[in-house]
Amino acid sequence: GPYSFKLRKNGEDVDTSKLGYVRGGYVKRIRQPVTMPFKSLEHSIREPEFLNLDFAKMDTPGCMHLLFLALHEFERIHGHLPAPHDPDHADEVVNLAAEQHKKF
C-alpha cells in the first residue's frame, strides 16, 4: 500500500516476523541524498529552457527573460532600478531589451 515500507539494516532487508511486532509504533524516515545536475547560470541565461503552461501565450516566458536581463543591465549601468512611471527609464529598458534580443 501507499504507507508500506521495508526495514533495512546494513543494506539488507530485516525479517520483522521475528520481532514480535503487533501494531503501532514510531518510524523515522531517513532520506538518501540525491545528486541533481543543473546547467550553470551563465549557460541558462544564454540558452534558457522554458516550461510553457499557457499555450495561448507561448512567447511570454521569452519576453519575460529579456525583460529581466534588461532590468539587470539597467541596474548595472545606473546603480538602481528604473523609477516607476518614468518614461525615459521605460524607453531605456525597452532599448536594452531590444539589444538583448539581438544577442539571442
Side-chain angles (χ1 to χ4, degrees), residues 34-38:
V34 176
T35 302
M36 298 179 70
F38 292 96

Side-chain angles (χ1 to χ4, degrees), residues 4-71:
S4 64
F5 59 91
K6 292 182 181 180
L7 297 178
R8 296 179 65 91
K9 183 175 182 180
N10 298 327
E12 296 188 17
D13 290 347
V14 175
D15 181 12
T16 57
S17 64
K18 299 176 184 165
L19 295 177
Y21 172 76
V22 178
R23 70 171 193 254
Y26 294 96
V27 175
K28 181 177 181 181
R29 181 176 181 180
I30 300 174
R31 295 182 183 227
Q32 297 298 316
V34 176
T35 302
M36 298 179 70
F38 292 96
K39 294 187 295 184
S40 69
L41 177 61
E42 292 81 13
H43 184 79
S44 293
I45 288 173
R46 284 191 316 270
E47 298 177 24
E49 294 179 16
F50 303 116
L51 177 62
N52 285 319
L53 301 175
D54 187 349
F55 294 106
K57 300 174 184 173
M58 294 287 284
D59 60 339
T60 300
C63 291
M64 294 296 291
H65 181 69
L66 290 174
L67 171 65
F68 279 106
L69 290 176
L71 285 172

